Amino acid sequence: MRFFFRRLRHACFLLFGVSILAFLFTTLAPGNYFDEMRLNPQIAPETMAALRAQYQLDRPLPVRYVSWMNSVLHGQMGFSFAYNSPVAPILFVRARNTLLLTITATLIAWGIALPLGVWSAERFGRLPDRLLSWATAALLVIPDLALALGLLVLTVRTGWFPTGSMTSLDFGSLSLGGKFRDLALHMTLPVAALVLSGLPLLIRHVRAAVAEVLDAPFMLAARGHGIPRRTLLYRYALRAAANPLISLFGFSIGALLSGSLLVEVVMSWPGLGPLLLESILSRDLDVVIGGVLFSTIFLISGNLIADILLYWADPRIRTESAAR
Amino acid sequence: MEVETPQSSQNMQPLLRVEKLVKCYERQNVFGSREKLLALDGVSFAVAQETTLAVVGESGSGKSTLGFCISCLEIPTSGSIWFEGRDIVVLAESERRKLRPQIQLIFQDPSNSLNPRWSVEEILLEPLNLKGKLKREETKQRAVALMTQVGLSSDMFQRSPAQLSGGQRQRLAIARALALEPRLLILDEALSALDCSVQAQIANLLIELQRTLGMTYLFITHDLAMAAHLADEIAVMNRGRVVEQGPAQNILRHPKEEITRHLLAAIPSLDNAERPPLES
Amino acid sequence: MVPILEVQDLHVSYRSSGEASYAALAGVNFHLMPNEILGVLGESGSGKSTLATSLLKLLPSNGNISRGSILFEGKDLLCAPAGELEQIRGKRISLVYQEPSVALHPALRASEQVFQVLAAHESAGKSALRQKTRQVLASLFPKEADRISNSYPHQLSGGQRQRVLIAQAIACGPSLLIADEPTASLDSTTQKEILGVMRTLRDELGLAMIFITHNPALLAGFADRVLVLYGGRVAELGLARTVLSSPKHPYTRALFQSMPQILENTRDTRKTKLPVIAGDSSAAQLPLEGCVFEPRCPDRMEDCREREPAVVNLGESHTVSCFKYGG
């Protein structure tokens, strides 16, 4: 338990530190939301000055940070100029959309990588394994952007899947089953892009971790006891190979909010990615900071979950006394 | 029949004298509670020059910790270790570093203590280069001399430790230790991982080196038979303390403590073929 | 009585990368009767571990059984299909692997590891199997079975881990137990304990056992017969009390002489050099022709370099492969 609380404390410090950095970087970046308006001759400089004062843009940095922190702790994450609404609801909606994509993609990717990696490790060095290695290397080399665009082109040509956004225009009028189907169709392309880009790394790591374990003496001893092959592979080998894979899984969780930006933008999926992109370009600061904070929370939670899983999965990490 | 201690050790100062050595390990449990493990609980003994003291005990008796403390790999919690008249526990680190080459440790598993990626030559050259600023040619000659001294041939220079047998690796470990010209060699179960006939070879080598180089040995083992064969004196350890100590023959023929008798009874002997198995 | 195991003319070789194969076992013959303990005496390079793994066909991918047969209860294991072998391993023939610190799965509790062996071979329900797991562990840990059951390998001492390995091996009630250096990494008192455990198992469960070690003293008072392995061949084979007290093969004699017999010697032989066998027994040095022991043999003769000696029967089921006695 103490272990958990210590990690939690570290996580809070980290979050605090990140919030300061995020605030600093975004506010110190040149320009602010109202710069565009300066080019517009119809808006008087006094109006702009008044607007800036209203949004506290000319107060010193630490003051702005403290007042922002204050409002965050009250659940208010600031105000978005572009959307003219509090930041929190916007973030939540977009984050939800992103999570829909990434959680599905992560589950599918791991679901494919684990058995494939184990299968490949069993046949280490032989032809089937080498073929798979080439395939994953090829996938690894193709940039995510090219993958996403490629899938987009494919679907535009064939018309099998809708080419953008999350739902059709008539989403509201569909039945429950229809809604489900519509969502699934829209999700297929972005999820496919995410899975394809994330799969090679996972497969390689699973393969490497399991291959290393398969040669261990306790595996031979288990074979000597006549333990059947499936149990050997999954209950014995995977369990022993879990350590590096759990760390990797922690990364997967950490990237749930941040890893899909490219795909979302290309496929016009209304997620956190495009929101962040717009806000950065238009200097909508509160949204940017809020988005960064959200992603960070996920990253840190991912690591925390990985640590807890490691603690649970590997008894050697729990330093208990020897039973002498 | 009592055997007298060798005359020389009564006149000269002992090379090594350990006084009330205590080593306590503290481990913090994940739940926050601290656990104390008393590995050494007031150990005292002395080793005369050019003799062998065997420290015998079961696993968990603290004998390996003793070896680590004396070779400066661990700092004792309290007590003193007098080496050539100086207490190495209270020395500053810089002074202690100068003393380290004089006390060398040979480990049980030579495959773990030799870098598998280095060749035999590189393994030997490392301590030689550390020791002095000899020229390359002289260093090479010294390396060849060391190999010959331990019974290895110099055409093994380019091999890696993995290509050597267990006995050869242990000889290499001894050669590496000798490169620093130590006065005291601590052998921590150095023979235990070897085959029986190889143990005899290495034991002979150790006897030879003691004779020619005047080495002093601290022989840590659980094998009382080999200890009795190699040692002048035996110290029996149990739970961090020395419970019995004396000349080897006395310990063998007239053991006083229960644990010593226990260890003696556990020695497997070929003669058991005629005797029924001993009951403990 | 029919032997439970008969090994005939077993030849096993390994292919090393690129180079030619080298023979780990070259013509091993012996048999084992039910309820008998056969001690296999061999040092590194003798092929003893190869013998253990090839009896269950568990050789690594570069190992190859080129000739011979292994008859277990009359059936040749080398001809058995893979599925049948999986059934035999752990259930009828068990292997107690060496090095208990690495032979147990690091992340599974002791009870789980024994349970898995039972689950692999017996078709009873889970609770019945758990009950049996408790029984097996209780028989090996009379005092602290519960604590050991819930412990992980890294929390156990060497002797305790060894007992867990033995528990795994006997869980399904095999008729043959192969123990490969089970006491190698243990201190002498624990060694004696484990030997006692194994003897009790033999007496109570009627197991036949093959006990592989490099230390001849362990076999005294323990094994019924002793087989001496050198260079992949059987040097000597006979009743334990005969082989251990009056060995005939030069290797066996030299091996026994090189051990410090500290209790038996009346003179003070301390710090004198032990008579050793010159050279090394690592496989790279074995001659390709003639007797394998010839380069190191103190009694070598002319014939020894040219031909391999045949097996000579010295009577009382004591055989030796040496030209000194004929061959």
Side-chain angles (χ1 to χ4, degrees):
Chain A
M1 263 302 116
R2 223 197 224 202
F3 171 81
F4 177 67
F5 283 131
R6 212 170 350 136
R7 306 298 275 123
L8 208 55
R9 217 171 46 217
H10 287 168
C12 288
F13 275 128
L14 200 57
L15 210 54
F16 185 60
V18 169
S19 73
I20 294 184
L21 278 178
F23 194 82
L24 262 180
F25 285 147
T26 42
T27 44
L28 287 181
N32 59 62
Y33 187 74
F34 299 107
D35 276 354
E36 301 259 319
M37 292 195 200
R38 244 194 283 154
L39 300 172
N40 190 336
Q42 291 180 323
I43 303 181
E46 297 84 30
T47 324
M48 278 193 24
L51 278 171
R52 286 180 67 215
Q54 181 183 6
Y55 290 111
Q56 299 189 343
L57 286 179
D58 44 357
R59 299 282 214 87
L61 266 179
V63 176
R64 285 167 68 186
Y65 178 75
V66 168
S67 69
W68 174 79
M69 205 59 195
N70 199 20
S71 53
V72 165
L73 292 174
H74 282 91
Q76 299 280 10
M77 295 195 70
F79 194 82
S80 159
F81 305 128
Y83 287 83
N84 202 30
S85 96
V87 165
I90 309 174
L91 274 184
F92 285 142
V93 167
R94 293 297 192 109
R96 179 206 68 190
N97 297 345
T98 300
L99 284 179
L100 198 57
L101 266 193
T102 51
I103 291 182
T104 318
T106 307
L107 287 175
I108 295 181
W110 276 92
I112 298 180
L114 278 178
L116 213 52
V118 168
W119 176 88
S120 188
E122 231 193 323
R123 292 153 181 74
F124 200 85
R126 304 211 293 267
L127 190 60
D129 171 50
R130 294 221 299 265
L131 284 178
L132 185 65
S133 291
W134 290 338
T136 53
L139 259 186
L140 200 58
V141 150
I142 301 177
D144 297 1
L145 188 58
L147 266 177
L149 284 176
L151 282 174
L152 210 53
V153 162
L154 179 71
T155 203
V156 161
R157 293 279 173 88
T158 56
W160 284 339
F161 296 103
T163 54
S165 79
M166 196 164 109
T167 52
S168 314
L169 289 170
D170 57 350
F171 188 71
S173 60
L174 290 172
S175 64
L176 188 61
K179 279 187 182 163
F180 196 72
R181 188 169 161 275
D182 186 51
L183 190 60
L185 278 178
H186 279 92
M187 266 175 64
T188 316
L189 272 192
V191 165
L194 284 175
V195 166
L196 282 176
S197 55
L199 211 50
L201 192 70
L202 292 185
I203 294 182
R204 283 178 162 244
H205 272 91
V206 172
R207 173 180 171 271
V210 173
E212 198 182 319
V213 158
L214 281 181
D215 280 336
F218 63 83
M219 289 299 292
L220 184 62
R223 268 181 73 207
H225 289 125
I227 309 257
R229 195 180 138 270
R230 290 214 69 191
T231 320
L232 267 184
L233 283 179
Y234 289 97
R235 197 180 279 249
Y236 278 68
L238 259 190
R239 199 64 206 278
N243 284 19
L245 298 181
I246 288 181
S247 305
L248 204 58
F249 186 64
F251 279 140
S252 288
I253 297 184
L256 277 180
L257 272 189
S258 42
S260 55
L261 187 143
L262 201 61
V263 169
E264 284 174 5
V265 168
V266 167
M267 305 240 180
S268 321
W269 181 269
L272 204 56
L275 176 69
L276 272 183
L277 194 60
E278 283 173 30
S279 312
I280 293 175
L281 288 176
S282 60
R283 304 284 183 277
D284 198 356
L285 294 182
D286 285 348
V287 178
V288 175
I289 301 174
V292 169
L293 222 52
F294 245 55
S295 296
T296 313
I297 290 178
F298 264 76
L299 196 65
I300 296 176
S301 318
N303 276 335
L304 197 57
I305 292 178
D307 280 337
I308 293 176
L309 278 178
L310 261 182
Y311 178 83
W312 168 80
D314 190 350
R316 290 169 290 189
I317 293 182
R318 317 173 210 164
T319 46
E320 291 166 27
S321 51
R324 289 205 178 253
Chain B
M1 195 184 83
E2 297 277 337
V3 175
E4 288 180 0
T5 48
Q7 279 290 343
S8 54
S9 64
Q10 289 172 348
N11 297 333
M12 287 196 282
Q13 194 188 38
L15 182 69
L16 177 72
R17 188 161 59 91
V18 171
E19 238 174 72
K20 295 205 185 69
L21 201 61
V22 174
K23 178 66 189 169
C24 184
Y25 286 106
E26 260 192 31
R27 228 184 337 199
Q28 187 164 25
N29 205 350
V30 68
F31 299 109
S33 57
R34 284 177 189 275
E35 291 171 348
K36 277 186 192 240
L37 186 64
L38 197 59
L40 294 176
D41 192 7
V43 171
S44 305
F45 60 81
V47 188
Q49 293 187 37
E50 295 188 37
T51 62
T52 306
L53 172 72
V55 177
V56 186
E58 299 181 317
S59 43
S61 56
K63 47 193 205 302
S64 283
T65 314
L66 183 63
F68 291 156
C69 284
I70 297 178
S71 60
C72 306
L73 287 177
E74 291 270 4
I75 314 278
T77 314
S78 72
S80 37
I81 301 175
W82 299 88
F83 182 72
E84 285 185 328
R86 298 167 74 188
D87 186 357
I88 54 182
V89 179
V90 298
L91 279 184
E93 179 59 32
S94 51
E95 287 295 309
R96 205 182 293 141
R97 203 176 322 140
K98 290 193 202 137
L99 265 182
R100 275 180 203 263
Q102 307 242 354
I103 308 176
Q104 287 294 302
L105 188 51
I106 310 274
F107 296 91
Q108 174 176 7
D109 188 355
S111 51
N112 273 340
S113 60
L114 298 173
N115 192 331
R117 291 198 189 278
W118 284 8
S119 67
V120 167
E121 186 178 10
E122 287 172 317
I123 291 176
L124 271 184
L125 287 182
E126 188 199 15
L128 288 174
N129 287 332
L130 276 176
K131 181 162 173 63
K133 290 94 185 156
L134 298 172
K135 291 200 289 282
R136 274 195 70 165
E137 198 42 53
E138 287 178 32
T139 318
K140 193 80 188 286
Q141 279 175 5
R142 180 103 177 88
V144 175
L146 280 170
M147 293 280 276
T148 323
Q149 210 164 29
V150 298
L152 292 172
S153 85
S154 52
D155 45 272
M156 286 183 188
F157 266 164
Q158 295 314 315
R159 293 204 210 163
S160 80
Q163 294 168 313
L164 302 177
S165 69
Q168 289 169 330
R169 276 184 231 146
Q170 207 57 304
R171 288 179 197 259
L172 181 59
I174 294 175
R176 180 178 63 172
L178 290 179
L180 293 166
E181 289 171 28
R183 309 252 354 246
L184 174 66
L185 209 55
I186 304 177
L187 299 134
D188 189 357
E189 304 269 15
L191 303 184
S192 309
L194 304 171
D195 284 339
C196 280
S197 61
V198 181
Q199 282 189 21
Q201 291 176 344
I202 306 293
N204 286 355
L205 173 65
L206 290 173
I207 293 174
E208 174 78 27
L209 288 173
Q210 187 164 58
R211 202 169 50 82
T212 50
L213 296 176
M215 297 291 305
T216 310
Y217 295 134
L218 187 66
F219 188 65
I220 301 173
T221 181
H222 63 75
D223 183 357
L224 195 43
M226 188 55 85
H229 177 76
L230 285 177
D232 298 293
E233 281 210 8
I234 298 183
V236 180
M237 275 189 77
N238 186 29
R239 298 210 193 148
R241 292 176 187 219
V242 174
V243 295
E244 194 170 346
Q245 185 178 352
Q249 284 292 56
N250 291 356
I251 301 283
L252 278 185
R253 310 278 176 203
H254 313 287
K256 293 197 191 75
E257 293 289 326
E258 179 66 36
I259 184 72
T260 319
R261 279 197 282 269
H262 197 50
L263 285 169
L264 274 173
I267 302 179
S269 167
L270 278 176
D271 273 1
N272 273 344
E274 299 298 331
R275 283 186 258 144
L278 295 166
E279 296 301 319
S280 51
Chain C
M1 256 206 302
V2 173
I4 190 175
L5 182 73
E6 244 188 279
V7 175
Q8 294 167 347
D9 199 30
L10 189 61
H11 283 72
V12 179
S13 55
Y14 290 111
R15 260 187 323 275
S16 39
S17 49
E19 297 158 30
S21 54
Y22 93 86
L25 291 178
V28 172
N29 286 288
F30 67 91
H31 67 273
L32 183 68
M33 305 302 274
N35 213 19
E36 184 183 31
I37 299 184
L38 175 70
V40 172
L41 189 59
E43 304 191 295
S44 17
S46 60
K48 56 187 162 85
S49 289
T50 310
L51 182 61
T53 46
S54 52
L55 285 176
L56 279 175
K57 270 191 97 172
L58 278 177
L59 292 172
S61 45
N62 64 335
N64 175 36
I65 303 180
S66 46
R67 218 177 351 150
S69 56
I70 302 176
L71 297 170
F72 175 63
E73 291 175 347
K75 199 149 182 245
D76 190 353
L77 290 179
L78 297 179
C79 302
E84 210 179 309
L85 274 177
E86 235 178 50
Q87 273 306 304
I88 294 181
R89 289 180 200 138
K91 189 173 168 66
R92 315 261 296 289
I93 308 181
S94 280
L95 182 55
V96 178
Y97 206 65
Q98 59 178 320
E99 260 317 315
S101 51
V102 291
L104 290 172
H105 193 290
L108 292 177
R109 294 184 203 268
S111 55
E112 179 69 26
Q113 306 207 33
V114 177
F115 176 81
Q116 283 300 325
V117 180
L118 283 169
H121 294 291
E122 312 213 338
S123 49
K126 264 202 176 163
S127 49
L129 291 178
R130 294 231 177 266
Q131 176 76 316
K132 187 124 194 257
T133 311
R134 270 196 293 276
Q135 274 175 352
V136 170
L137 282 172
S139 71
L140 278 163
F141 294 99
K143 282 184 235 156
E144 19 174 38
D146 283 330
R147 193 171 58 95
I148 304 285
S149 292
N150 282 332
S151 302
Y152 291 99
H154 70 280
Q155 296 170 306
L156 301 175
S157 71
Q160 290 167 332
R161 281 183 220 148
Q162 192 59 268
R163 286 180 196 241
V164 174
L165 276 181
I166 296 176
Q168 282 183 306
I170 59 164
C172 297
S175 34
L176 172 61
L177 190 69
I178 306 172
D180 188 359
E181 301 264 18
T183 58
S185 52
L186 306 174
D187 63 25
S188 34
T189 36
T190 321
Q191 261 182 9
K192 191 169 156 226
E193 252 177 61
I194 298 292
L195 283 179
V197 166
M198 301 195 91
R199 203 182 298 118
T200 317
L201 284 178
R202 190 271 299 260
D203 295 337
E204 284 178 7
L205 300 176
L207 282 174
M209 230 186 270
I210 298 181
F211 191 94
I212 302 175
T213 179
H214 66 82
N215 186 353
L218 289 179
L219 297 174
F222 176 72
D224 300 311
R225 283 193 302 141
V226 170
L227 184 153
V228 181
L229 206 59
Y230 185 84
R233 293 154 176 82
V234 177
E236 193 167 353
L237 170 59
L239 293 174
R241 60 170 181 270
T242 331
V243 175
L244 294 177
S245 54
S246 47
K248 294 286 183 289
H249 196 283
Y251 168 65
T252 326
R253 297 174 76 112
L255 181 61
F256 292 178
Q257 278 169 4
S258 71
M259 298 175 58
Q261 292 300 299
I262 209 71
L263 293 174
E264 293 70 16
N265 285 344
T266 44
R267 318 177 280 120
D268 187 4
T269 52
R270 279 186 321 108
K271 296 182 87 165
T272 55
K273 289 205 180 172
L274 296 161
V276 291
I277 321 175
D280 221 89
S281 70
S282 54
Q285 319 239 2
L286 291 177
L288 295 169
E289 272 182 354
C291 173
V292 262
F293 188 55
E294 186 266 332
R296 306 170 70 196
C297 184
D299 301 330
R300 67 174 90 98
M301 307 185 297
E302 265 304 307
D303 285 338
C304 301
R305 206 174 304 188
E306 288 155 32
R307 307 186 328 262
E308 273 199 50
V311 177
V312 178
N313 199 334
L314 299 173
E316 248 198 52
S317 62
H318 189 175
T319 59
V320 68
S321 295
C322 184
F323 286 118
K324 270 176 72 177
Y325 307 93

